[in-house]
Amino acid sequence: MIKISYATAIFVFCVGLYTILSKRNLFKTVIGLTIMEAGALMLIVTAGYVHGGVPPLIPIEGQAVNPLPHAFTLTAIVIGASDVALALALVIKVHRRYGTVDLDKIRGLKE
Amino acid sequence: MRLRDRLHDLVLLCLCLGMGWWLWEGVAAIDDPEYIIGPAAYYLVNTAKETGAVNVVAAILFDYRGIDTLGEATVIYTTVCGVAMLFSKSKYKKSSAGLSFIARRGISFVVPFLFMYGSAIILMGHLSPGGGFQGGAVFATITILFCIVFGSSFEASRISPKTKETIESLGGLLFVFIGGVGLLAGAGFLANTAAGFPRGQVGNFLSAGTIPLLNVAVGMKVGAGLSTIFYSMVKVLDLEFNEQLTEVMDNDKN
């Protein structure tokens, strides 16, 4: 079962990567960034799973899952939200300066 | 041109599929582990004895790795500064009118419960899943709902941006102050029970030394920070929308 979780994380990561590489719209690039981040977080959480594990709350009955990836994921979620906010702010600035969020038009390469 | 674009997309798709296959090769060898090794095993065994917290994740975040959390709170502060600086020039004029009467009444009915929910998540952070980050996000959601339903000028008049900045700075200062108490006690920065904070009975509301206090500090910081980010962005968008609206109306007149 754990393989399905890993496969999902990798699939989500690759969808985000394709979005970043193929889209010319800056807003879509930021959306791809968040999708990639979601994939990475899923991978971290999955890495902490133990077979038949229970949540890491103190009267632990049986084997608890690894609590360390959960703490790292909380950290990563907040930092991800921060960098998406900053990226969106920059995109809004670009739109105010150039009147478009299309990368080709900004570079002036479009015939 | 269209053929070239399609070829470009195809190459990128193959690249992403190859990347996915490569990652899968790395992951496919991993089996379900039966037990935990490394620092996590130590945390699981010793959390109740050393910190008095029920929630092991909160104990790791605010006790064992407290200085990491301080750094992370600094990231939010930096982001708020960056976003506020990028939008500093734009003067705030009008806000959107907000939603209908029914939505307004409904939200005013829901908000007290949301407030209670957020407070519970923050204050029970050492007893159950939750903590400062999650509860702070709930508080930020309340202000975002105000912005959307009542319009952003109403939100700004009720909770002014300066108040939010004060709350955020107070959260950061509280965090550093609690860390400094540990330093004064001679036990190191952000020390918990080693610095003389009472551990309490495991499972009680008043237990776990500094962890509930640090939860409150981080909740203040995250809630005020996220709502400041949203407000800084939405006031600019409101402004642009209003400018476009006046342009359209002028064109109609002409």
Side-chain angles (χ1 to χ4, degrees), chain B residues 30 37 64 77 81 92 94 105 119 135-136 146 224 233:
Chain B
I30 301 174
I37 51 166
Y64 292 112
Y77 189 73
C81 287
Y92 178 70
K94 285 179 191 170
R105 289 300 119 211
S119 316
F146 268 132
M233 283 186 179

Side-chain angles (χ1 to χ4, degrees), chain A residues 1-11 13-24 27 43 46-52 55-60 63-93 95-96 104 110-111, chain B residues 1 4-5 8-10 12-13 15-17 19-21 23-24 27-37 39-41 43-44 47-48 53-57 60-61 65 68-69 72 75-76 78-79 82-83 85-90 127-130 133-134 202 222 226 229 233 236-237 239-240 243-244:
Chain A
M1 275 311 274
I2 195 86
K3 295 262 166 74
I4 297 175
S5 189
Y6 276 123
T8 315
I10 290 170
F11 176 74
F13 183 85
C14 290
V15 168
L17 189 68
Y18 179 74
T19 314
I20 286 185
L21 290 176
S22 66
K23 299 296 175 194
R24 299 271 124 212
F27 267 117
L43 193 77
T46 308
Y49 182 71
V50 175
H51 189 70
L57 298 169
I58 273 301
I60 296 169
Q63 178 66 57
V65 296
N66 196 337
L68 211 48
H70 299 190
F72 290 153
T73 310
L74 273 177
T75 314
I77 287 172
V78 174
I79 290 173
S82 301
D83 67 40
V84 166
L86 210 51
L88 283 177
L90 288 171
V91 171
I92 292 172
K93 267 294 183 192
H95 184 263
R96 284 162 78 86
D104 286 337
K110 199 91 171 176
E111 293 96 332
Chain B
M1 192 61 196
R4 217 184 98 196
D5 278 356
H8 184 73
D9 278 0
L10 200 67
L12 288 176
L13 191 65
L15 192 77
C16 290
L17 283 176
M19 180 88 186
W21 178 79
L23 289 171
W24 173 248
V27 159
I30 301 174
D31 272 334
D32 280 18
E34 298 281 340
Y35 52 89
I36 299 172
I37 51 166
Y43 296 152
L44 279 176
T47 292
V54 171
N55 185 0
V56 181
V57 177
I60 292 174
L61 269 178
R65 292 165 182 266
D68 280 7
T69 311
E72 178 187 352
V75 170
I76 302 173
T78 316
T79 309
V83 172
M85 232 164 68
L86 279 173
F87 295 136
S88 60
K89 284 279 172 59
S90 49
L127 299 178
S128 62
F133 293 107
Q134 297 92 324
V202 175
V222 171
L226 290 184
I229 291 172
M233 283 186 179
V236 173
L237 293 180
L239 193 66
E240 283 183 352
E243 276 170 1
Q244 282 170 6

